[in-house]
Amino acid sequence: MTRALIVDDAPENLYLLRTILEAHGWQVDEARHGVEALSAAAVRLPDIIISDLLMPVMDGYALLARCRADEALARIPFVVFTATYTDPRDEKLTLELGADGFILKPQEPEELMARLGAILARGAAPATRPPPGNGEVRLAEYNEVLVRKLEQKAIEVEEANRELREAKAWLSQAVAAGRVGLWDWDLPTGTLTYSEDGRRQLGIEARETGGTFEDWKSRLHPDDAPRVLEVLESYVSSGAGDLELEFRLRHEDGTYRT
């Protein structure tokens, strides 16, 4: 029976790959980074190593280099399975370092198994070794790949932050245009903070930006209070519940507003 060592720092990726391999009768060991993978391989030698590249502690490139330098592990087919290193230069460097396959995520299960099977079949040949070359040149290529990936990640983070800022700006404009009164309840301290329209709807002075939850409770209409407090208590204790409530709060002039 084929035994695979799969290496990935994302639990969901490990779970998905394990499920596919085990469904096809393979045995599977897992590791979250290169150091764990080397330890696992020392305990039980796999028939094939399937590794991501972008990982903490020891990434896939470093793991590949360590495997190819080890007499026992050098005989084991090493497959890179990645969704982040997709540039042709990444594949070129990976294969030059001695990988037996470079597969991009995601893959249909049958296609993935077919490619892994073909790599295993070739694995009967003498161990793959990286071609001789200038170590400094190889290190420079490796660093170039890492820098390019970090730059790409920085761009993605900045884009996500920009979209978040825009979403917050649109939300603020929508709230202001709709004259929506908001209040924020800080559970640990029991304090509340009201938005400008929230204060206006309750007749609270502008300088009074917040208050206590007990004060908010005292503003509930007597007919609404039992129902509202029961739902809030259930939500706080279990994290679940219907918070789409309609209730009345007492304005400073003594009238109740929905």
Side-chain angles (χ1 to χ4, degrees):
M1 182 178 293
T2 301
R3 175 175 295 279
L5 172 58
I6 59 177
V7 193
D8 200 308
D9 62 317
E12 61 274 17
N13 291 343
L14 288 173
Y15 173 79
L16 179 59
L17 186 53
R18 170 187 280 276
T19 300
I20 293 173
L21 297 178
E22 290 182 339
H24 287 79
W26 288 27
Q27 294 179 331
V28 179
D29 293 321
E30 296 180 0
R32 294 171 296 175
H33 49 71
V35 173
E36 282 192 359
L38 292 173
S39 297
V43 173
R44 188 159 44 204
L45 205 63
D47 299 303
I48 188 171
I49 298 173
I50 307 169
S51 177
D52 191 18
L53 286 176
L54 188 63
M55 298 180 294
V57 186
M58 179 188 291
D59 68 9
Y61 282 122
L63 173 61
L64 173 57
R66 290 285 296 273
C67 288
R68 288 298 171 249
D70 183 277
E71 184 176 352
L73 297 179
R75 302 178 180 277
I76 298 172
F78 192 109
V79 179
V80 165
F81 192 38
T82 179
T84 55
Y85 286 79
T86 58
D87 191 282
R89 290 171 291 180
D90 302 333
E91 180 175 5
K92 177 176 179 292
L93 177 60
T94 300
L95 298 177
E96 286 180 350
L97 286 173
D100 300 281
F102 186 90
I103 303 176
L104 296 179
K105 303 173 185 175
Q107 290 282 324
E108 291 295 329
E110 295 306 320
E111 174 64 19
L112 175 62
M113 295 307 301
R115 296 187 64 177
L116 293 176
I119 292 169
L120 270 173
R122 295 197 306 269
T128 303
R129 296 286 184 178
N134 188 310
E136 293 183 357
V137 172
R138 187 58 49 77
L139 178 60
E141 293 174 347
Y142 174 61
N143 288 338
E144 178 189 351
V145 168
L146 292 182
V147 169
R148 177 160 35 84
K149 184 53 58 180
L150 289 174
E151 289 175 344
Q152 179 183 334
K153 286 294 181 183
I155 292 173
E156 292 173 358
V157 170
E158 176 56 31
E159 178 65 18
N161 288 337
R162 183 187 63 79
E163 293 177 356
L164 179 60
R165 289 193 298 269
E166 290 180 353
K168 286 183 176 179
W170 277 106
L171 177 60
S172 296
Q173 293 175 19
V175 169
R179 309 287 288 180
V180 178
L182 302 178
W183 54 275
D184 180 70
W185 178 17
D186 187 294
L187 291 177
T189 64
T191 59
L192 281 90
T193 303
Y194 296 94
S195 68
E196 181 179 349
D197 275 299
R199 295 194 304 270
R200 178 186 56 79
Q201 291 171 9
L202 293 176
I204 300 174
E205 295 290 337
R207 64 178 180 275
E208 299 178 34
T209 58
T212 66
F213 183 64
E214 292 301 317
D215 174 67
W216 183 86
K217 284 168 55 177
S218 71
R219 292 178 179 274
L220 282 168
H221 192 285
D223 294 340
D224 298 336
R227 170 178 56 88
V228 172
L229 295 177
E230 180 181 359
V231 171
L232 287 177
E233 181 180 355
S234 174
Y235 182 82
V236 171
S237 60
S238 66
D242 182 9
L243 293 182
E244 294 183 5
L245 296 171
E246 183 173 301
F247 52 87
R248 292 161 288 181
L249 289 175
R250 189 184 70 252
H251 189 276
E252 285 296 296
D253 64 9
T255 63
Y256 285 91
R257 313 289 177 88
T258 301

